[in-house]
Amino acid sequence: MKIIETSRRKFLQGSISLCVYATSSLANSCITIKTTAKRDAEDIPYLCNMCRNKCAGFARVENSTITKLNPNQYFPKSRNMLCPKGNAGIQAVYDKDRLKYPLIRIGERGSGRFKRVTWDEANEYIKDKLVKIIDEQKDNRSSLAYCNGEGFNKDEYIKFFGGKIGSANFLDEGSICLNTKLGATQLTIGDVGEMDVAGSDYLIISGANRYESLITPDSVDMLHTKQKLVVLDPRCTMTAIKADEFLPINPGTDLAFCLSMVYIAIKEKLYNAKYVKEQFDDFDKLQQHILSHKYTAKWAESKTHIPAEKIEQVTREFFSAKNPLYYLGRRSVWSQNDFQFRRAMVLINALAGSVNRKGGIIFGKPIKLNQEEIVEPLYNAAEGRFDLDGIIYGSSKGGSWLNFRDKVISKTAPYPVNAMFIRKHNLMQNMPNIAKTRKMLEMMDLVVVLDTMPSDTAMMADVILPECTYLEREDMVVSFNRLEPSLALRNEVIKPLYESKTMQDILKGLGKKLSVPLFEVSAKYDEDLQDSIAELGKVKAFEEGGYDLAELYKHSVARRNKNLIIKQFGEAVYNSLKTKGVWHPFIEKQKDLGNNLYEYYPEEKRYYSVDKKYRVKCYIEKLAKNGSDALPTWHDSYDFKVAKESFRMITGRYVTSTQTASTNNVMLRDIEATNHIWINDSVAKKLDIKEGDSVAVSSPISRVVIKAYPTNKIAPDVVWFAHGFGMDSEELTSAFGNGACDNQIIEDSFEKVYGCATMHHTDVQIRKL
């Protein structure tokens, strides 16, 4: 046997041979595309879209068919790596179940019965419905809501529905993801920044799971550094296994651990006194607050189940390290105290001076791109958003999904919302309490879904508009990274298959169909517009008022990119983006260090620090005025308590899953076939539950059935299973009925600072079937 050694980086280069399980435009059965023939092959640079990291790659194209995806060595962000999901991106193009044509519902909503129509018929249907809705609401454009998950083109989508059509009701993934982290960082140090995990020599991770849920190049770099890694989690995750110290913790008690770290740092004067003196506001209030509450290690032990001696040891080690970092996470919101937990983590980093320096929270110098200008109409009758009512801060951009849904279905919103446009968002799977989401969509007069796959949400649509995949389109150029700034361009690898279109072409078609009819509605109710028409005439009032909804799409994305990039950066940068997919100032001088390691920016040119003072705000007056805690505080209601014969349900995801977007991908299914519920093996033995047994998991709102996985890697009063399974759409032939959906049983509640869904507060019961 010949043993071939390979580094972890080389493994992630993704050299697997691709079997495309597909129905392509040329074939109707499962095919395997041979990758050996290199003649007439072309390698086209692209940016991955299988998760939020957006790694760069080269797609090999032979006879108009993508046969291989390879990593791109020019991109500092992904550094010649492509993970399993990135490799499986080819299956997104050739998935036999993907949406191919525009569809209009002919059965009951949710029945999955649609008829194939032309693009013009689909747009005509939308026009008739939408114009009627907005006319009945006397030109209140916010009677239309729209949403878009993470990813490219989101800003253009907002420009179309928010700027051009005039709706205030935009929702995104932030309130079911990481808005508390973003808000806590922004409010405490004035910027969100990035975390230099690879530059840190002492790293604490609470709950986040960098080696199991999302593998990025800096995670791999952490393995190569002389770094101490401490992981807190209720479950022994893959990240915990790689840690120097794994500290099992009660769910929702990480804030107590942080408060105790602050207590010890202040009590023993471990903090960076010079930094605190120069940068902190209201440190005296923080000090008095923490000491008076006596957040000792012994107190924290009673909340977290972590021994006091261990808390003291970790705290002293952290503050004695040269570049310590308490990782702020990039995950969902777990508990009601999540915002204050994130605040406490930011304050710990600031107390250590780990802000605006190597190994800490860094801000860098991202490359700024010029914005394209369009004229946006003013609508006097358009009302404001209502989903942030009762929320202290919230995101004025992405709102609060659960608060919005509650107000719609309870009819307590100040006006009805009767139409919804949904893109890159599987609402029927990604929000707690699916029954409520179904009810919200059933109340709509018009639901339009733009997607590549027949998701559970698409099955609830009136109209489905098939969008092409990321490998079939060029997107607008994007600026990446703060430490090593660069530009990157997603180039079109092949033309869109079937009758799918780019988002821009879809909006262009809608814009042409809707512009004049919606303008007529405004002219009927809007007195200012009526004055403009009287003064300028109808044609000029339309043109100068910005009512042409397709204004941004007079030119193709390719032409817009060329104009924008050459005008701002010159032709050489444009050529680099077209041939390499990437540009940064040192791209022609970057060094190949061997073993798949590259130096992009010279060490002295990286932006670990920038010439700006970041003030640390310990005390936030607005929180106090709104009945919340101005400083991170523990309340008895945060204590971890589970009723007898119940378990706290926690959730996460596998590296092969991007929420539910990749659930039908058979290449990824080969790696992670389904989800199981993790249950403590001692508990399982008492309940006579063995591996693979079917168990019913019941919560106060619903019940699911899932296979059991007894293990000693989880606490006796906690159970876990991964998100991204349990699809209900029969059109997803690989995913339908496979595993269980966590949001089917997770109760819906949200914290009140950012209106974010809290995912780890539901207790469940388990019964062997």
Side-chain angles (χ1 to χ4, degrees):
M1 176 184 290
K2 183 181 180 182
I3 299 174
I4 301 173
E5 292 187 347
T6 184
S7 71
R8 192 175 301 272
R9 275 182 175 277
K10 283 191 172 179
F11 170 76
L12 286 168
Q13 271 185 282
S15 57
I16 65 173
S17 176
L18 295 180
C19 172
V20 181
Y21 305 82
T23 297
S24 75
S25 58
L26 302 176
N28 290 315
S29 60
C30 181
I31 60 172
T32 300
I33 297 173
K34 295 180 180 178
T35 62
T36 51
K38 295 183 178 178
R39 285 183 300 176
D40 302 324
E42 185 180 8
D43 290 318
I44 301 173
Y46 74 99
L47 287 174
C48 186
N49 201 48
M50 292 296 285
C51 77
R52 71 174 307 281
N53 204 54
K54 307 294 180 282
C55 297
F58 285 98
R60 183 185 301 160
V61 179
E62 299 172 75
N63 298 323
S64 301
T65 300
I66 305 168
T67 56
K68 183 79 166 67
L69 300 177
N70 290 307
N72 183 333
Q73 71 270 29
Y74 298 109
F75 195 26
K77 190 170 193 289
S78 56
R79 287 139 65 190
N80 210 32
M81 294 186 190
L82 209 54
C83 75
K85 270 190 301 216
N87 275 290
I90 195 168
Q91 186 65 22
V93 179
Y94 299 114
D95 193 314
K96 66 183 177 63
D97 295 333
R98 67 174 279 189
L99 294 165
K100 303 175 180 69
Y101 318 103
L103 300 168
I104 290 179
R105 178 170 64 87
I106 55 174
E108 289 186 9
R109 193 185 295 282
S111 66
R113 295 187 62 214
F114 294 87
K115 66 176 180 181
R116 178 179 172 179
V117 296
T118 66
W119 276 98
D120 189 64
E121 288 170 332
N123 289 338
E124 188 72 19
Y125 182 95
I126 293 168
K127 182 205 74 178
D128 290 345
K129 288 274 189 177
L130 189 59
V131 170
K132 182 172 183 288
I133 288 167
I134 292 181
D135 192 9
E136 288 176 349
Q137 294 301 315
K138 296 182 169 49
D139 205 35
N140 176 16
R141 303 304 181 104
S142 298
S143 53
L144 151 72
Y146 64 110
C147 61
N148 194 122
E150 182 277 331
F152 286 13
N153 295 322
K154 186 175 181 177
D155 288 343
E156 277 198 43
Y157 190 77
I158 295 171
K159 278 182 183 176
F160 184 83
F161 288 102
K164 280 293 190 179
I165 290 185
S167 171
N169 284 318
F170 173 68
L171 296 127
D172 68 10
E173 78 289 354
S175 66
I176 46 178
C177 191
L178 43 59
N179 272 358
T180 53
K181 170 211 160 183
L182 302 179
T185 315
Q186 182 74 42
L187 291 172
T188 306
I189 54 177
D191 198 346
V192 173
E194 291 178 353
M195 286 161 283
D196 183 24
V197 293
S200 165
D201 60 353
Y202 197 101
L203 185 66
I204 301 177
I205 294 179
S206 281
N209 194 0
R210 293 185 64 102
Y211 292 114
E212 192 172 0
S213 60
L214 181 70
I215 296 177
T216 53
D218 52 358
S219 295
V220 179
D221 284 346
M222 287 160 53
L223 298 172
H224 296 279
T225 60
K226 294 179 181 178
Q227 175 189 70
K228 178 159 185 176
L229 175 62
V230 178
V231 171
L232 287 69
D233 203 295
R235 185 175 71 100
C236 185
T237 64
M238 193 63 74
T239 306
I241 288 172
K242 295 183 184 305
D244 298 284
E245 300 248 17
F246 167 48
L247 308 179
I249 187 171
N250 288 329
T253 63
D254 305 73
L255 172 61
F257 180 85
C258 290
L259 290 172
S260 186
M261 282 190 70
V262 177
Y263 177 90
I264 296 165
I266 291 176
K267 189 79 175 175
E268 299 183 11
K269 298 190 184 303
L270 303 176
Y271 58 85
N272 186 327
K274 183 174 183 292
Y275 186 86
V276 168
K277 183 179 180 181
E278 292 176 353
Q279 304 295 121
F280 272 54
D281 293 335
D282 298 319
F283 176 71
D284 55 333
K285 289 182 180 178
L286 175 68
Q287 181 172 254
Q288 194 277 332
H289 171 77
I290 294 292
L291 296 180
S292 66
H293 279 81
K294 297 179 180 176
Y295 292 133
T296 64
K298 204 66 184 172
W299 167 84
E301 177 182 334
S302 69
K303 307 295 180 186
T304 64
H305 200 59
I306 298 174
E309 297 76 18
K310 185 60 68 178
I311 297 171
E312 291 170 344
Q313 172 212 316
V314 168
T315 304
R316 288 165 189 150
E317 288 178 352
F318 181 88
F319 282 97
S320 64
K322 184 179 178 183
N323 296 307
L325 176 64
Y326 203 128
Y327 180 64
L328 303 178
R330 55 193 299 179
R331 57 173 174 79
S332 299
V333 171
W334 298 148
S335 59
Q336 288 290 334
N337 63 39
D338 203 89
F339 171 78
Q340 294 293 1
F341 165 45
R342 309 300 182 114
R343 278 257 295 153
M345 288 195 284
V346 177
L347 289 170
I348 289 171
N349 285 317
L351 285 168
S354 289
V355 175
N356 197 22
R357 78 175 188 191
K358 183 176 182 179
I361 302 172
I362 60 173
F363 305 96
K365 194 175 181 182
I367 300 170
K368 291 184 178 178
L369 287 164
N370 292 338
Q371 297 297 308
E372 297 170 292
E373 293 183 357
I374 57 171
V375 181
E376 296 180 349
L378 296 173
Y379 297 106
N380 284 338
E383 297 200 40
R385 67 187 315 148
F386 52 77
D387 59 317
L388 297 182
D389 295 349
I391 307 295
I392 298 174
Y393 281 98
S395 166
S396 58
K397 183 178 181 182
S400 170
W401 254 123
L402 295 194
N403 204 19
F404 174 86
R405 187 182 66 179
D406 281 353
K407 290 183 183 301
V408 169
I409 63 177
S410 64
K411 298 184 179 179
T412 56
Y415 51 85
V417 175
N418 297 323
M420 183 168 282
F421 282 73
I422 302 167
R423 177 178 183 266
K424 281 202 78 187
H425 230 351
N426 192 0
L427 305 184
M428 289 295 293
Q429 284 283 335
N430 62 12
M431 279 195 285
N433 200 336
I434 290 172
K436 281 191 174 181
T437 305
R438 180 183 299 279
K439 184 175 182 181
M440 176 185 72
L441 294 177
E442 287 175 341
M443 292 172 67
M444 298 287 162
D445 293 330
L446 175 65
V447 176
V448 180
V449 170
L450 288 70
D451 209 330
T452 62
M453 297 298 294
S455 66
D456 288 11
T457 304
M459 293 301 101
M460 295 294 290
D462 295 289
V463 183
I464 297 176
L465 304 178
E467 188 172 349
C468 65
T469 69
Y470 65 95
L471 290 164
E472 300 165 290
R473 66 180 197 239
E474 178 170 331
D475 285 330
M476 294 302 293
V477 62
V478 176
S479 170
F480 284 93
N481 282 32
R482 291 171 181 251
L483 180 63
E484 297 176 292
S486 60
L487 299 176
L489 182 66
R490 175 177 288 147
N491 289 284
E492 180 188 85
V493 174
I494 60 171
K495 296 291 181 187
L497 296 180
Y498 315 107
E499 293 182 14
S500 65
K501 291 186 177 185
T502 66
M503 184 203 74
Q504 286 81 2
D505 283 342
I506 293 174
L507 298 186
K508 181 179 180 179
L510 279 173
K512 286 184 174 179
K513 185 69 74 175
L514 293 170
S515 293
V516 173
L518 288 181
F519 172 77
E520 297 290 354
V521 174
S522 292
K524 191 172 166 184
Y525 299 102
D526 193 319
E527 293 182 357
D528 287 347
L529 178 56
Q530 290 165 1
D531 291 343
S532 293
I533 292 172
E535 181 182 349
L536 303 172
K538 216 167 193 177
V539 173
K540 210 168 182 180
F542 176 88
E543 292 174 349
E544 295 187 1
Y547 292 93
D548 178 5
L549 304 181
E551 179 187 351
L552 193 58
Y553 306 113
K554 290 177 180 173
H555 303 297
S556 68
V557 172
R559 183 168 169 184
R560 289 164 58 197
N561 265 328
K562 186 173 183 179
N563 292 343
L564 188 150
I565 297 165
I566 291 177
K567 183 178 180 181
Q568 187 175 354
F569 302 102
E571 199 144 347
V573 173
Y574 177 72
N575 291 337
S576 177
L577 289 165
K578 294 302 288 183
T579 57
K580 297 184 175 71
V582 182
W583 176 83
H584 59 82
F586 302 96
I587 194 164
E588 301 300 333
K589 301 176 183 175
Q590 72 179 48
K591 297 177 182 175
D592 183 348
L593 304 177
N595 198 26
N596 199 35
L597 288 169
Y598 294 85
E599 180 187 272
Y600 297 94
Y601 277 60
E603 173 85 14
E604 68 277 10
K605 297 292 184 182
R606 296 173 198 160
Y607 294 98
Y608 292 109
S609 302
V610 293
D611 188 19
K612 182 179 177 181
K613 297 291 185 185
Y614 291 89
R615 301 298 302 175
V616 180
K617 296 186 183 304
C618 298
Y619 187 91
I620 299 179
E621 186 72 33
K622 182 175 176 178
L623 291 169
K625 287 180 178 177
N626 285 276
S628 189
D629 297 318
L631 292 155
T633 307
W634 186 265
H635 297 278
D636 290 343
S637 60
Y638 300 158
D639 287 355
F640 176 65
K641 295 175 183 175
V642 178
K644 190 178 179 182
E645 298 182 351
S646 292
F647 305 86
R648 179 61 49 86
M649 165 75 190
I650 63 173
T651 185
R653 62 186 169 91
Y654 299 129
V655 70
T656 52
S657 299
T658 301
Q659 284 73 40
T660 58
S662 57
T663 188
N664 203 57
N665 192 307
V666 291
M667 292 176 72
L668 295 171
R669 284 280 304 280
D670 279 350
I671 302 172
E672 201 70 62
T674 189
N675 59 352
H676 293 73
I677 188 165
W678 285 38
I679 180 170
N680 181 271
D681 51 1
S682 298
V683 174
K685 190 173 182 180
K686 289 178 184 175
L687 297 175
D688 191 29
I689 295 173
K690 299 180 180 60
E691 184 174 344
D693 284 349
S694 291
V695 297
V697 185
S698 303
S699 78
I701 62 167
S702 191
R703 169 182 179 272
V704 296
V705 174
I706 186 171
K707 301 290 185 186
Y709 178 67
T711 175
N712 64 357
K713 294 185 177 66
I714 195 164
D717 41 12
V718 181
V719 293
W720 175 91
F721 66 83
H723 179 64
F725 295 87
M727 300 301 113
D728 198 39
S729 169
E730 295 183 15
E731 303 303 315
L732 297 169
T733 56
S734 297
F736 171 66
N738 178 35
C741 173
D742 52 354
N743 281 323
Q744 188 76 38
I745 56 173
I746 294 176
E747 295 176 278
D748 52 310
S749 74
F750 53 92
E751 53 81 45
K752 297 298 188 292
V753 182
Y754 273 84
C756 291
T758 54
M759 306 298 284
H760 286 180
H761 65 278
T762 301
D763 290 346
V764 298
Q765 289 80 47
I766 294 176
R767 181 170 61 87
K768 181 181 176 182
L769 297 179

